[in-house]
């Protein structure tokens, strides 16, 4: 990997058009048009079953839609090498924390020196340095989640998808993860899409918020507008803690 890559800013706009997914007769996703802005953090929120994970899985190329298109930086080709996903319950390799973080770099044939340097930096940033030699079995949920995030960020993806990464972890680990995401956005311009049930987290992180309900986009706009003066009554109810029926 050329050294210049390190200092470049990058990110990727996503354009979604007429995306549909059904299970039998149940349509779980039906999005006419949605743009995820380049180089920002977009929070996807909505009630259980709204289709948030389905949307992320389709965007990440883990699931096929029935219909519609996704354009990644203007191209319909899924850029698997430039993007990655962190799940609520990440699957770590049964090995050490260090080997897990290094794994994407080994796959991409980075030099041993570069791997050592990147793993060291990420571990320090996420408070994982003392755990590098530990095996992954027996790690706490927060440690697992931070290891998965470090692994995802190690190759500097242009696009990062996160499905409720902080759902079962404590406020301190949550803060470390949020700081890391904001740093990547600031320094690298990484395009980040995060599903969260925590509206306060969406407020702390997001530039853009998308509210999904029953597979449809209720509102997608800048975070400030979303929380203070949304266009839709349903958005106001949702942010106000009322049930959406
Ligand atoms: N394999 C499947 N077969 C049938 N229905 C499914 C399947 N996977 C998901 N669904 C349905 O699709 C809908 C959307 O599910 P999805 O997991 O995307 O929602 P979500 O917004 O991520 O919800 P949560 O907040 O609970 O994680 C739900 O009604 C769910 O029951
Ligand atoms: Mg989900």
């Amino acid at each position: 990997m050329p050294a210049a890559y390190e200092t470049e800013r990058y990110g990727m706009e996503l354009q979604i058009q007429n995306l549909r997914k059904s299970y039998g007769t149940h349509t779980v996703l039906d999005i006419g048009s949605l743009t995820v802005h380049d180089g920002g953090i977009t929070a996807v929120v909505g009630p259980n079953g709204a289709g948030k994970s389905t949307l992320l899985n389709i965007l990440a190329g883990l699931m096929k839609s029935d219909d519609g298109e996704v354009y990644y930086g203007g191209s319909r080709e899924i850029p698997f090498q430039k993007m990655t996903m962190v799940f609520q319950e990440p699957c770590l390799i049964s090995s050490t924390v260090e080997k897990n973080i290094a794994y994407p770099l080994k796959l991409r044939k980075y030099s041993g020196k570069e791997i050592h340097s990147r793993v060291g930096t990420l571990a320090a940033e996420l408070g994982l340095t003392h755990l590098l030699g530990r095996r992954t079995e027996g790690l706490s949920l927060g440690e697992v989640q931070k290891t998965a995030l470090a692994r995802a960020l190690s190759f500097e993806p242009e696009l990062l998808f996160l499905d409720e990464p902080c759902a079962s972890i404590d406020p301190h680990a949550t803060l470390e993860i949020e700081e890391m995401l904001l740093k990547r956005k600031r320094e690298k311009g990484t395009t980040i899409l995060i599903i969260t049930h925590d509206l306060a987290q969406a407020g702390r992180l997001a530039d853009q918020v998308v509210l999904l309900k029953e597979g449809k986009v209720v509102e997608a706009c800048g975070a400030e507008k979303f929380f203070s003066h949304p266009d839709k009554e349903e958005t106001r109810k949702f942010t106000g803690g009322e049930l959406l029926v």
Side-chain angles (χ1 to χ4, degrees), residues 145-162:
Q145 203 55 262
K146 288 193 290 178
T147 302
L149 180 62
R151 180 176 63 182
L153 291 174
S154 66
F155 70 98
E156 305 198 337
E158 294 185 30
L159 262 175
L160 175 64
F161 301 108
L162 304 122

Side-chain angles (χ1 to χ4, degrees), residues 201-236:
Q201 176 169 64
R204 289 191 296 271
L205 288 177
D207 302 292
Q208 179 187 17
V209 186
V210 178
L211 171 59
L212 275 187
K213 186 195 161 197
E214 293 169 358
K216 293 195 164 64
V217 175
V218 174
E219 186 153 4
C221 63
E224 204 271 323
K225 174 176 170 147
F226 187 88
F227 288 107
S228 62
H229 52 283
D231 285 337
K232 300 284 163 56
E233 179 65 9
E234 274 184 305
T235 308
R236 195 196 55 70

Side-chain angles (χ1 to χ4, degrees), residues 23 26 28 46-55 57 63 88 163-164 195 197 212:
Y23 291 104
H26 183 198
V28 298
N48 290 127
K52 304 179 298 294
S53 295
T54 304
L55 171 63
N57 285 327
M63 188 187 272
Q88 184 178 342
D163 194 344
E164 299 192 51
I195 296 178
H197 278 287
L212 275 187

Side-chain angles (χ1 to χ4, degrees), residues 13 19 56 65 69 73 91 115 124 131 134 140 147 155 165 183 195 232:
E13 182 183 86
L19 203 64
L56 224 67
S65 64
E69 306 293 350
C91 192
I115 293 177
L131 294 173
R134 273 265 298 276
S140 74
T147 302
F155 70 98
K183 185 166 190 272
I195 296 178
K232 300 284 163 56

